[in-house]
PDB file of all heavy atoms in Angstrom:
ATOM      1  N   ALA A1104      28.394 -62.173  17.399  1.00 87.00           N
ATOM      2  CA  ALA A1104      29.218 -61.943  16.207  1.00 87.00           C
ATOM      3  C   ALA A1104      30.420 -62.885  16.165  1.00 87.00           C
ATOM      4  O   ALA A1104      31.016 -63.077  15.110  1.00 87.00           O
ATOM      5  CB  ALA A1104      29.668 -60.490  16.149  1.00 87.00           C
ATOM      6  N   LYS A1105      30.757 -63.499  17.296  1.00 86.00           N
ATOM      7  CA  LYS A1105      31.870 -64.453  17.331  1.00 86.00           C
ATOM      8  C   LYS A1105      31.509 -65.754  16.628  1.00 86.00           C
ATOM      9  O   LYS A1105      32.375 -66.413  16.074  1.00 86.00           O
ATOM     10  CB  LYS A1105      32.274 -64.740  18.779  1.00 86.00           C
ATOM     11  CG  LYS A1105      32.862 -63.547  19.478  1.00 86.00           C
ATOM     12  CD  LYS A1105      33.137 -63.863  20.933  1.00 86.00           C
ATOM     13  CE  LYS A1105      33.559 -62.594  21.667  1.00 86.00           C
ATOM     14  NZ  LYS A1105      33.573 -62.814  23.120  1.00 86.00           N
ATOM     15  N   THR A1106      30.244 -66.136  16.681  1.00 87.00           N
ATOM     16  CA  THR A1106      29.828 -67.384  16.039  1.00 87.00           C
ATOM     17  C   THR A1106      29.079 -67.153  14.732  1.00 87.00           C
ATOM     18  O   THR A1106      29.131 -67.999  13.848  1.00 87.00           O
ATOM     19  CB  THR A1106      28.950 -68.240  16.974  1.00 87.00           C
ATOM     20  OG1 THR A1106      27.824 -67.481  17.384  1.00 87.00           O
ATOM     21  CG2 THR A1106      29.732 -68.711  18.182  1.00 87.00           C
ATOM     22  N   PHE A1107      28.399 -66.031  14.612  1.00 91.00           N
ATOM     23  CA  PHE A1107      27.750 -65.694  13.345  1.00 91.00           C
ATOM     24  C   PHE A1107      28.610 -64.628  12.677  1.00 91.00           C
ATOM     25  O   PHE A1107      28.467 -63.442  12.897  1.00 91.00           O
ATOM     26  CB  PHE A1107      26.322 -65.172  13.566  1.00 91.00           C
ATOM     27  CG  PHE A1107      25.602 -64.890  12.267  1.00 91.00           C
ATOM     28  CD1 PHE A1107      25.221 -65.921  11.429  1.00 91.00           C
ATOM     29  CD2 PHE A1107      25.334 -63.595  11.880  1.00 91.00           C
ATOM     30  CE1 PHE A1107      24.570 -65.669  10.226  1.00 91.00           C
ATOM     31  CE2 PHE A1107      24.688 -63.328  10.679  1.00 91.00           C
ATOM     32  CZ  PHE A1107      24.307 -64.367   9.853  1.00 91.00           C
ATOM     33  N   ARG A1108      29.559 -65.101  11.856  1.00 91.00           N
ATOM     34  CA  ARG A1108      30.586 -64.221  11.279  1.00 91.00           C
ATOM     35  C   ARG A1108      30.268 -63.743   9.874  1.00 91.00           C
ATOM     36  O   ARG A1108      31.088 -63.115   9.232  1.00 91.00           O
ATOM     37  CB  ARG A1108      31.923 -64.962  11.296  1.00 91.00           C
ATOM     38  CG  ARG A1108      32.398 -65.285  12.701  1.00 91.00           C
ATOM     39  CD  ARG A1108      33.712 -66.052  12.699  1.00 91.00           C
ATOM     40  NE  ARG A1108      33.586 -67.399  12.160  1.00 91.00           N
ATOM     41  CZ  ARG A1108      33.211 -68.462  12.862  1.00 91.00           C
ATOM     42  NH1 ARG A1108      32.902 -68.349  14.126  1.00 91.00           N
ATOM     43  NH2 ARG A1108      33.131 -69.645  12.297  1.00 91.00           N
ATOM     44  N   TYR A1109      29.091 -64.031   9.386  1.00 93.00           N
ATOM     45  CA  TYR A1109      28.738 -63.721   7.994  1.00 93.00           C
ATOM     46  C   TYR A1109      29.011 -62.262   7.645  1.00 93.00           C
ATOM     47  O   TYR A1109      29.574 -61.964   6.600  1.00 93.00           O
ATOM     48  CB  TYR A1109      27.269 -64.078   7.749  1.00 93.00           C
ATOM     49  CG  TYR A1109      26.828 -63.924   6.319  1.00 93.00           C
ATOM     50  CD1 TYR A1109      27.175 -64.871   5.363  1.00 93.00           C
ATOM     51  CD2 TYR A1109      26.076 -62.829   5.910  1.00 93.00           C
ATOM     52  CE1 TYR A1109      26.781 -64.744   4.046  1.00 93.00           C
ATOM     53  CE2 TYR A1109      25.665 -62.696   4.596  1.00 93.00           C
ATOM     54  CZ  TYR A1109      26.024 -63.653   3.668  1.00 93.00           C
ATOM     55  OH  TYR A1109      25.631 -63.516   2.365  1.00 93.00           O
ATOM     56  N   PHE A1110      28.615 -61.348   8.509  1.00 94.00           N
ATOM     57  CA  PHE A1110      28.788 -59.933   8.199  1.00 94.00           C
ATOM     58  C   PHE A1110      30.140 -59.382   8.655  1.00 94.00           C
ATOM     59  O   PHE A1110      30.403 -58.202   8.483  1.00 94.00           O
ATOM     60  CB  PHE A1110      27.637 -59.105   8.783  1.00 94.00           C
ATOM     61  CG  PHE A1110      26.346 -59.338   8.045  1.00 94.00           C
ATOM     62  CD1 PHE A1110      25.318 -60.052   8.628  1.00 94.00           C
ATOM     63  CD2 PHE A1110      26.164 -58.862   6.752  1.00 94.00           C
ATOM     64  CE1 PHE A1110      24.133 -60.279   7.950  1.00 94.00           C
ATOM     65  CE2 PHE A1110      24.998 -59.091   6.053  1.00 94.00           C
ATOM     66  CZ  PHE A1110      23.976 -59.803   6.657  1.00 94.00           C
ATOM     67  N   ASN A1111      31.010 -60.231   9.193  1.00 92.00           N
ATOM     68  CA  ASN A1111      32.355 -59.774   9.536  1.00 92.00           C
ATOM     69  C   ASN A1111      33.161 -59.458   8.288  1.00 92.00           C
ATOM     70  O   ASN A1111      34.057 -58.625   8.320  1.00 92.00           O
ATOM     71  CB  ASN A1111      33.097 -60.827  10.365  1.00 92.00           C
ATOM     72  CG  ASN A1111      32.528 -60.973  11.762  1.00 92.00           C
ATOM     73  OD1 ASN A1111      31.623 -60.254  12.154  1.00 92.00           O
ATOM     74  ND2 ASN A1111      33.054 -61.920  12.508  1.00 92.00           N
ATOM     75  N   THR A1112      32.864 -60.144   7.192  1.00 91.00           N
ATOM     76  CA  THR A1112      33.624 -59.966   5.952  1.00 91.00           C
ATOM     77  C   THR A1112      32.756 -59.470   4.797  1.00 91.00           C
ATOM     78  O   THR A1112      33.224 -59.430   3.663  1.00 91.00           O
ATOM     79  CB  THR A1112      34.287 -61.299   5.535  1.00 91.00           C
ATOM     80  OG1 THR A1112      33.266 -62.293   5.387  1.00 91.00           O
ATOM     81  CG2 THR A1112      35.301 -61.750   6.582  1.00 91.00           C
ATOM     82  N   ARG A1113      31.521 -59.118   5.083  1.00 94.00           N
ATOM     83  CA  ARG A1113      30.602 -58.671   4.032  1.00 94.00           C
ATOM     84  C   ARG A1113      29.868 -57.420   4.493  1.00 94.00           C
ATOM     85  O   ARG A1113      29.529 -57.286   5.652  1.00 94.00           O
ATOM     86  CB  ARG A1113      29.569 -59.757   3.721  1.00 94.00           C
ATOM     87  CG  ARG A1113      30.129 -61.035   3.169  1.00 94.00           C
ATOM     88  CD  ARG A1113      29.051 -62.121   3.175  1.00 94.00           C
ATOM     89  NE  ARG A1113      29.543 -63.391   2.709  1.00 94.00           N
ATOM     90  CZ  ARG A1113      30.129 -64.303   3.470  1.00 94.00           C
ATOM     91  NH1 ARG A1113      30.287 -64.082   4.755  1.00 94.00           N
ATOM     92  NH2 ARG A1113      30.535 -65.445   2.963  1.00 94.00           N
ATOM     93  N   GLU A1114      29.579 -56.581   3.552  1.00 95.00           N
ATOM     94  CA  GLU A1114      28.738 -55.418   3.813  1.00 95.00           C
ATOM     95  C   GLU A1114      27.277 -55.860   3.831  1.00 95.00           C
ATOM     96  O   GLU A1114      26.912 -56.826   3.151  1.00 95.00           O
ATOM     97  CB  GLU A1114      28.936 -54.358   2.719  1.00 95.00           C
ATOM     98  CG  GLU A1114      30.313 -53.719   2.725  1.00 95.00           C
ATOM     99  CD  GLU A1114      30.571 -52.931   3.995  1.00 95.00           C
ATOM    100  OE1 GLU A1114      29.649 -52.244   4.470  1.00 95.00           O
ATOM    101  OE2 GLU A1114      31.701 -53.016   4.517  1.00 95.00           O
ATOM    102  N   PRO A1115      26.437 -55.168   4.574  1.00 96.00           N
ATOM    103  CA  PRO A1115      25.014 -55.523   4.574  1.00 96.00           C
ATOM    104  C   PRO A1115      24.379 -55.543   3.178  1.00 96.00           C
ATOM    105  O   PRO A1115      23.432 -56.286   2.942  1.00 96.00           O
ATOM    106  CB  PRO A1115      24.383 -54.448   5.461  1.00 96.00           C
ATOM    107  CG  PRO A1115      25.489 -54.045   6.384  1.00 96.00           C
ATOM    108  CD  PRO A1115      26.742 -54.126   5.547  1.00 96.00           C
ATOM    109  N   SER A1116      24.932 -54.775   2.251  1.00 95.00           N
ATOM    110  CA  SER A1116      24.379 -54.735   0.893  1.00 95.00           C
ATOM    111  C   SER A1116      24.501 -56.079   0.171  1.00 95.00           C
ATOM    112  O   SER A1116      23.900 -56.264  -0.894  1.00 95.00           O
ATOM    113  CB  SER A1116      25.055 -53.638   0.069  1.00 95.00           C
ATOM    114  OG  SER A1116      26.450 -53.885  -0.019  1.00 95.00           O
ATOM    115  N   VAL A1117      25.225 -57.045   0.752  1.00 96.00           N
ATOM    116  CA  VAL A1117      25.337 -58.372   0.149  1.00 96.00           C
ATOM    117  C   VAL A1117      23.962 -59.014  -0.007  1.00 96.00           C
ATOM    118  O   VAL A1117      23.779 -59.909  -0.839  1.00 96.00           O
ATOM    119  CB  VAL A1117      26.281 -59.285   0.973  1.00 96.00           C
ATOM    120  CG1 VAL A1117      25.641 -59.702   2.290  1.00 96.00           C
ATOM    121  CG2 VAL A1117      26.685 -60.511   0.167  1.00 96.00           C
ATOM    122  N   ILE A1118      22.985 -58.539   0.737  1.00 96.00           N
ATOM    123  CA  ILE A1118      21.650 -59.147   0.632  1.00 96.00           C
ATOM    124  C   ILE A1118      21.064 -59.013  -0.770  1.00 96.00           C
ATOM    125  O   ILE A1118      20.157 -59.750  -1.114  1.00 96.00           O
ATOM    126  CB  ILE A1118      20.672 -58.612   1.698  1.00 96.00           C
ATOM    127  CG1 ILE A1118      20.299 -57.168   1.447  1.00 96.00           C
ATOM    128  CG2 ILE A1118      21.220 -58.834   3.102  1.00 96.00           C
ATOM    129  CD1 ILE A1118      19.133 -56.681   2.298  1.00 96.00           C
ATOM    130  N   SER A1119      21.618 -58.098  -1.568  1.00 95.00           N
ATOM    131  CA  SER A1119      21.128 -57.987  -2.944  1.00 95.00           C
ATOM    132  C   SER A1119      21.436 -59.256  -3.741  1.00 95.00           C
ATOM    133  O   SER A1119      20.814 -59.508  -4.765  1.00 95.00           O
ATOM    134  CB  SER A1119      21.730 -56.768  -3.639  1.00 95.00           C
ATOM    135  OG  SER A1119      23.136 -56.910  -3.767  1.00 95.00           O
ATOM    136  N   ASN A1120      22.372 -60.080  -3.262  1.00 94.00           N
ATOM    137  CA  ASN A1120      22.717 -61.346  -3.918  1.00 94.00           C
ATOM    138  C   ASN A1120      21.952 -62.537  -3.350  1.00 94.00           C
ATOM    139  O   ASN A1120      22.084 -63.640  -3.855  1.00 94.00           O
ATOM    140  CB  ASN A1120      24.214 -61.627  -3.780  1.00 94.00           C
ATOM    141  CG  ASN A1120      25.057 -60.576  -4.452  1.00 94.00           C
ATOM    142  OD1 ASN A1120      24.668 -60.010  -5.461  1.00 94.00           O
ATOM    143  ND2 ASN A1120      26.197 -60.287  -3.867  1.00 94.00           N
ATOM    144  N   HIS A1121      21.209 -62.332  -2.285  1.00 97.00           N
ATOM    145  CA  HIS A1121      20.479 -63.435  -1.652  1.00 97.00           C
ATOM    146  C   HIS A1121      19.231 -63.803  -2.435  1.00 97.00           C
ATOM    147  O   HIS A1121      18.608 -62.954  -3.071  1.00 97.00           O
ATOM    148  CB  HIS A1121      20.041 -63.043  -0.235  1.00 97.00           C
ATOM    149  CG  HIS A1121      21.165 -62.908   0.732  1.00 97.00           C
ATOM    150  ND1 HIS A1121      20.970 -62.461   2.010  1.00 97.00           N
ATOM    151  CD2 HIS A1121      22.497 -63.153   0.619  1.00 97.00           C
ATOM    152  CE1 HIS A1121      22.113 -62.444   2.641  1.00 97.00           C
ATOM    153  NE2 HIS A1121      23.061 -62.856   1.821  1.00 97.00           N
ATOM    154  N   LEU A1122      18.856 -65.067  -2.332  1.00 97.00           N
ATOM    155  CA  LEU A1122      17.563 -65.492  -2.859  1.00 97.00           C
ATOM    156  C   LEU A1122      16.453 -64.928  -1.981  1.00 97.00           C
ATOM    157  O   LEU A1122      15.407 -64.528  -2.466  1.00 97.00           O
ATOM    158  CB  LEU A1122      17.482 -67.022  -2.883  1.00 97.00           C
ATOM    159  CG  LEU A1122      18.477 -67.726  -3.800  1.00 97.00           C
ATOM    160  CD1 LEU A1122      18.444 -69.224  -3.560  1.00 97.00           C
ATOM    161  CD2 LEU A1122      18.179 -67.397  -5.246  1.00 97.00           C
ATOM    162  N   VAL A1123      16.710 -64.925  -0.677  1.00 98.00           N
ATOM    163  CA  VAL A1123      15.766 -64.374   0.284  1.00 98.00           C
ATOM    164  C   VAL A1123      16.544 -63.964   1.538  1.00 98.00           C
ATOM    165  O   VAL A1123      17.500 -64.630   1.922  1.00 98.00           O
ATOM    166  CB  VAL A1123      14.638 -65.377   0.627  1.00 98.00           C
ATOM    167  CG1 VAL A1123      15.170 -66.591   1.331  1.00 98.00           C
ATOM    168  CG2 VAL A1123      13.563 -64.736   1.455  1.00 98.00           C
ATOM    169  N   THR A1124      16.129 -62.855   2.128  1.00 98.00           N
ATOM    170  CA  THR A1124      16.690 -62.377   3.396  1.00 98.00           C
ATOM    171  C   THR A1124      15.511 -62.068   4.306  1.00 98.00           C
ATOM    172  O   THR A1124      14.618 -61.308   3.930  1.00 98.00           O
ATOM    173  CB  THR A1124      17.541 -61.111   3.209  1.00 98.00           C
ATOM    174  OG1 THR A1124      18.528 -61.341   2.208  1.00 98.00           O
ATOM    175  CG2 THR A1124      18.214 -60.710   4.514  1.00 98.00           C
ATOM    176  N   LEU A1125      15.513 -62.679   5.488  1.00 98.00           N
ATOM    177  CA  LEU A1125      14.407 -62.510   6.428  1.00 98.00           C
ATOM    178  C   LEU A1125      14.892 -61.892   7.734  1.00 98.00           C
ATOM    179  O   LEU A1125      16.011 -62.163   8.172  1.00 98.00           O
ATOM    180  CB  LEU A1125      13.767 -63.859   6.754  1.00 98.00           C
ATOM    181  CG  LEU A1125      13.222 -64.684   5.598  1.00 98.00           C
ATOM    182  CD1 LEU A1125      12.693 -66.027   6.113  1.00 98.00           C
ATOM    183  CD2 LEU A1125      12.139 -63.939   4.846  1.00 98.00           C
ATOM    184  N   LEU A1126      14.043 -61.096   8.332  1.00 97.00           N
ATOM    185  CA  LEU A1126      14.248 -60.607   9.688  1.00 97.00           C
ATOM    186  C   LEU A1126      13.004 -60.926  10.493  1.00 97.00           C
ATOM    187  O   LEU A1126      11.891 -60.788   9.994  1.00 97.00           O
ATOM    188  CB  LEU A1126      14.470 -59.093   9.713  1.00 97.00           C
ATOM    189  CG  LEU A1126      15.841 -58.560   9.333  1.00 97.00           C
ATOM    190  CD1 LEU A1126      15.839 -57.040   9.336  1.00 97.00           C
ATOM    191  CD2 LEU A1126      16.930 -59.085  10.255  1.00 97.00           C
ATOM    192  N   MET A1127      13.205 -61.347  11.733  1.00 97.00           N
ATOM    193  CA  MET A1127      12.094 -61.482  12.651  1.00 97.00           C
ATOM    194  C   MET A1127      12.116 -60.247  13.540  1.00 97.00           C
ATOM    195  O   MET A1127      13.155 -59.867  14.067  1.00 97.00           O
ATOM    196  CB  MET A1127      12.204 -62.736  13.509  1.00 97.00           C
ATOM    197  CG  MET A1127      11.005 -62.885  14.455  1.00 97.00           C
ATOM    198  SD  MET A1127      11.117 -64.347  15.498  1.00 97.00           S
ATOM    199  CE  MET A1127      10.849 -65.653  14.295  1.00 97.00           C
ATOM    200  N   LEU A1128      10.956 -59.640  13.664  1.00 96.00           N
ATOM    201  CA  LEU A1128      10.808 -58.438  14.470  1.00 96.00           C
ATOM    202  C   LEU A1128       9.867 -58.710  15.634  1.00 96.00           C
ATOM    203  O   LEU A1128       8.879 -59.425  15.480  1.00 96.00           O
ATOM    204  CB  LEU A1128      10.230 -57.295  13.634  1.00 96.00           C
ATOM    205  CG  LEU A1128      10.915 -56.961  12.304  1.00 96.00           C
ATOM    206  CD1 LEU A1128      10.104 -55.918  11.556  1.00 96.00           C
ATOM    207  CD2 LEU A1128      12.332 -56.499  12.515  1.00 96.00           C
TER     208      LEU A1128
END
């Protein structure tokens, strides 16, 4: 989280604004 700070200032619901959101499982 120190280097990937995207969600430090955004709620997870921000993905509704993404063109695409991927997770690898």
